[in-house]
Each structure stands twice: as C-alpha cells, then as structure tokens.
C-alpha cells in the first residue's frame, strides 16, 4: 500500500529525532567554533532543570498537583523535555571522558525516543490504521481481505502500543544515572 504506516507516521518521527541530533551537533560545533566550550559544560544544569520542570505533567496525571490543565502541561512537558534534552546532549558533546555521563546520555536518548513514540506516533498511528481500514471497507473489501492488507501496519501498531513498558523504566534509569553523575561531579569538583 502506497500510504503505509511507516511512510505516514514513522518517517516524520525519525525526522523529528534526527532534527534533535542535528541541532545537538550544530550547537556543539558552534561552541567549539567560537571557543565557548566552557558554556557547554554548564548547559547540563538548565537542561536538567527543564526536564525536572517537565515532570509537572506526570504529577498532574497522578493528581499530585492540582493546578494547570493536562493539555497545557503536556505541551510544556514536550517543550521542556525537548529543550532540556538538547541542552544535555550539547553538554555531553562528543567527548568520551567518563562512563557514567555517557550511560546517562544513552538513557536520555532512549527516553526521548520512547517519549516521542508515545506522544507523536501512537495516537496518529491508530488514526492512520483506522482511516486505512475505513478506506478499504469503502472499496468493498471483506474484513478478511482488510486484515490481510493491513497485517504489517497492525503488527507495527501493536508494537508501538507497548511504549510505556520502555518509557517509564528508562525514565527512572535516566534519573538514577543523572543523579549519580551530578553527585560525582559535586564530589570531584575543584572547589577553589
């Protein structure tokens, strides 16, 4: 089928993620180009604070906080997480000088990907498959023929529905690694 789930939903998701990676490379390049590498060292702080602020959405969903609307907090969650991740990725740069920060960075990458899957793809993918099903039904195909035609889209959608099983544990893993990184930085900081 020419209008496949991959082309309609996954390709835009990959483009969004690649844009984040390219923005990271550009930011790191510009810091090096203008001899502002030390700025990158401190971008981890506002990046982390933005990610912590983005948790207001999760707190609202769990009724821990009362203020704010879920829709507004979700948009802020996405924006703050995106900007925070960008700052942390630039902070991490392409420097391989310690294992713990890179583990935290890898956990953040997986967390960002799983969050993008959940928000950007899942609802749109459901609508896309439902629309394809409706179109095929209007063409007069039987339910069996429709299921056969949409088999791979249905398999892809089924796998996408499992995103929370990755997102939450990776979020906790990232939080643990980020805190461990921060603690080790504070322990070994040259406080002169």
């Amino acid at each position: 089928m020419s209008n496949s789930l991959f082309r309609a939903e996954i390709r835009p998701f990959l483009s969004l993620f690649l844009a984040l990676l390219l923005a990271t490379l550009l930011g790191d390049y510009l810091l090096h180009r203008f001899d502002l590498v030390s700025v990158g060292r401190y971008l981890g702080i506002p990046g982390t604070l933005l990610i912590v602020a983005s948790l207001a959405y999760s707190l609202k969903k769990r009724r821990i906080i009362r203020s704010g609307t879920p829709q507004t907090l979700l948009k802020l969650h996405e924006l703050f997480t995106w900007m925070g991740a960008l700052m942390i990725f630039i902070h991490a740069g392409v420097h391989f000088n310690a294992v713990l920060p890179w583990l935290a960075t890898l956990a953040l990458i997986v967390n960002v990907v799983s969050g993008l899957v959940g928000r950007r793809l899942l609802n749109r993918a459901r609508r896309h498959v439902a629309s394809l099903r409706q179109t095929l039904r209007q063409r007069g195909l039987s339910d069996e023929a429709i299921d056969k035609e949409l088999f791979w889209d249905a398999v892809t959608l089924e796998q996408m529905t499992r995103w929370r099983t990755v997102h939450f544990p990776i979020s906790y893993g990232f939080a643990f690694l980020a805190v461990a990184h921060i603690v080790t930085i504070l322990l070994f900081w040259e406080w002169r």
Side-chain angles (χ1 to χ4, degrees), residues 21 33-34 40 45 58 67 80 85 99 103 105 121 153 178 183 186 188 192:
L21 295 180
R33 176 77 170 103
F34 294 106
I45 296 167
S58 296
S67 62
F80 288 176
V99 173
L103 290 175
T105 302
L121 294 180
D153 286 339
V183 167
L186 293 175
F188 296 107
R192 296 182 211 166

Short mmCIF file of all heavy atoms in Angstrom, two decimals, residues 21 33-34 40 45 58 67 80 85 99 103 105 121 153 178 183 186 188 192:
data_model
loop_
_atom_site.label_atom_id
_atom_site.label_comp_id
_atom_site.label_asym_id
_atom_site.label_seq_id
_atom_site.Cartn_x
_atom_site.Cartn_y
_atom_site.Cartn_z
N LEU A 21 19.10 15.52 16.93
CA LEU A 21 20.52 15.15 16.86
C LEU A 21 21.33 16.16 16.05
O LEU A 21 22.44 16.53 16.44
CB LEU A 21 20.66 13.74 16.26
CG LEU A 21 20.08 12.61 17.11
CD1 LEU A 21 20.29 11.28 16.42
CD2 LEU A 21 20.67 12.61 18.51
N ARG A 33 33.52 26.19 17.65
CA ARG A 33 33.93 27.16 16.62
C ARG A 33 34.23 28.53 17.22
O ARG A 33 35.16 29.20 16.83
CB ARG A 33 32.82 27.27 15.56
CG ARG A 33 33.06 28.31 14.50
CD ARG A 33 34.07 27.79 13.47
NE ARG A 33 34.14 28.67 12.34
CZ ARG A 33 35.13 29.54 12.15
NH1 ARG A 33 36.11 29.64 13.00
NH2 ARG A 33 35.14 30.31 11.09
N PHE A 34 33.40 28.95 18.19
CA PHE A 34 33.55 30.27 18.79
C PHE A 34 34.27 30.21 20.14
O PHE A 34 34.16 31.14 20.94
CB PHE A 34 32.20 30.98 18.90
CG PHE A 34 31.61 31.29 17.56
CD1 PHE A 34 30.54 30.56 17.07
CD2 PHE A 34 32.15 32.30 16.77
CE1 PHE A 34 30.00 30.84 15.82
CE2 PHE A 34 31.62 32.59 15.52
CZ PHE A 34 30.54 31.86 15.05
N GLY A 40 29.19 24.88 27.19
CA GLY A 40 28.60 23.55 27.10
C GLY A 40 28.70 22.78 28.39
O GLY A 40 27.82 21.99 28.73
N ILE A 45 23.05 21.90 33.52
CA ILE A 45 22.25 22.39 34.66
C ILE A 45 20.87 22.88 34.20
O ILE A 45 19.85 22.37 34.68
CB ILE A 45 23.02 23.48 35.44
CG1 ILE A 45 24.29 22.86 36.06
CG2 ILE A 45 22.13 24.10 36.53
CD1 ILE A 45 25.28 23.87 36.59
N SER A 58 3.36 14.76 34.56
CA SER A 58 3.19 13.45 35.21
C SER A 58 2.56 13.62 36.58
O SER A 58 1.72 12.81 36.99
CB SER A 58 4.53 12.74 35.35
OG SER A 58 5.06 12.45 34.08
N SER A 67 -2.95 22.36 39.98
CA SER A 67 -3.00 23.49 39.06
C SER A 67 -2.60 23.07 37.65
O SER A 67 -1.88 22.09 37.45
CB SER A 67 -2.10 24.62 39.55
OG SER A 67 -0.77 24.18 39.59
N PHE A 80 9.70 21.40 27.28
CA PHE A 80 10.78 21.41 28.26
C PHE A 80 11.69 20.20 28.10
O PHE A 80 12.90 20.30 28.23
CB PHE A 80 10.22 21.45 29.68
CG PHE A 80 9.60 22.77 30.07
CD1 PHE A 80 8.99 22.92 31.30
CD2 PHE A 80 9.63 23.87 29.23
CE1 PHE A 80 8.43 24.12 31.69
CE2 PHE A 80 9.06 25.08 29.60
CZ PHE A 80 8.47 25.20 30.84
N ALA A 85 16.65 18.11 26.77
CA ALA A 85 17.45 17.06 26.12
C ALA A 85 18.49 17.68 25.19
O ALA A 85 19.65 17.25 25.17
CB ALA A 85 16.54 16.10 25.37
N VAL A 99 32.46 7.14 31.85
CA VAL A 99 31.41 6.16 31.51
C VAL A 99 30.04 6.60 32.04
O VAL A 99 29.04 6.53 31.31
CB VAL A 99 31.79 4.77 32.07
CG1 VAL A 99 30.65 3.79 31.90
CG2 VAL A 99 33.04 4.26 31.40
N LEU A 103 26.46 6.80 30.03
CA LEU A 103 25.32 5.92 30.33
C LEU A 103 24.06 6.76 30.54
O LEU A 103 22.98 6.40 30.05
CB LEU A 103 25.61 5.06 31.57
CG LEU A 103 26.65 3.97 31.41
CD1 LEU A 103 26.91 3.29 32.75
CD2 LEU A 103 26.21 2.97 30.36
N THR A 105 23.52 9.69 29.25
CA THR A 105 23.16 10.24 27.94
C THR A 105 22.44 9.20 27.09
O THR A 105 21.43 9.50 26.45
CB THR A 105 24.42 10.76 27.21
OG1 THR A 105 25.04 11.76 28.02
CG2 THR A 105 24.07 11.35 25.87
N LEU A 121 3.58 9.35 17.85
CA LEU A 121 3.23 8.31 16.90
C LEU A 121 1.98 7.51 17.24
O LEU A 121 1.19 7.21 16.35
CB LEU A 121 4.41 7.32 16.77
CG LEU A 121 5.67 7.87 16.15
CD1 LEU A 121 6.72 6.78 16.09
CD2 LEU A 121 5.40 8.41 14.78
N ASP A 153 0.86 -3.18 9.07
CA ASP A 153 0.51 -1.96 9.81
C ASP A 153 -0.02 -2.32 11.20
O ASP A 153 0.32 -1.66 12.19
CB ASP A 153 -0.55 -1.15 9.05
CG ASP A 153 0.04 -0.44 7.83
OD1 ASP A 153 1.26 -0.23 7.80
OD2 ASP A 153 -0.73 -0.12 6.92
N ALA A 178 21.50 10.18 36.06
CA ALA A 178 21.73 11.62 36.10
C ALA A 178 22.08 12.08 37.51
O ALA A 178 23.02 12.87 37.70
CB ALA A 178 20.49 12.37 35.59
N VAL A 183 26.06 13.83 41.49
CA VAL A 183 26.74 13.60 42.77
C VAL A 183 28.25 13.45 42.56
O VAL A 183 29.04 14.04 43.30
CB VAL A 183 26.14 12.37 43.50
CG1 VAL A 183 27.01 11.92 44.65
CG2 VAL A 183 24.73 12.69 43.99
N LEU A 186 29.78 16.81 41.89
CA LEU A 186 29.91 17.60 43.12
C LEU A 186 31.02 17.07 44.02
O LEU A 186 31.73 17.85 44.67
CB LEU A 186 28.58 17.63 43.86
CG LEU A 186 27.45 18.39 43.15
CD1 LEU A 186 26.14 18.25 43.92
CD2 LEU A 186 27.80 19.85 42.94
N PHE A 188 33.80 15.50 43.02
CA PHE A 188 35.12 15.68 42.44
C PHE A 188 35.35 17.07 41.86
O PHE A 188 36.36 17.31 41.21
CB PHE A 188 35.37 14.61 41.36
CG PHE A 188 35.39 13.23 41.93
CD1 PHE A 188 34.33 12.36 41.70
CD2 PHE A 188 36.45 12.81 42.71
CE1 PHE A 188 34.33 11.09 42.23
CE2 PHE A 188 36.46 11.54 43.27
CZ PHE A 188 35.40 10.67 43.02
N ARG A 192 37.93 25.46 44.23
CA ARG A 192 38.86 26.56 44.57
C ARG A 192 38.24 27.90 44.43
O ARG A 192 37.49 28.31 43.72
CB ARG A 192 40.07 26.50 43.67
CG ARG A 192 40.83 25.26 43.89
CD ARG A 192 42.04 25.26 43.00
NE ARG A 192 42.31 23.86 42.67
CZ ARG A 192 43.09 23.49 41.74
NH1 ARG A 192 43.70 24.36 40.99
NH2 ARG A 192 43.33 22.24 41.51
#
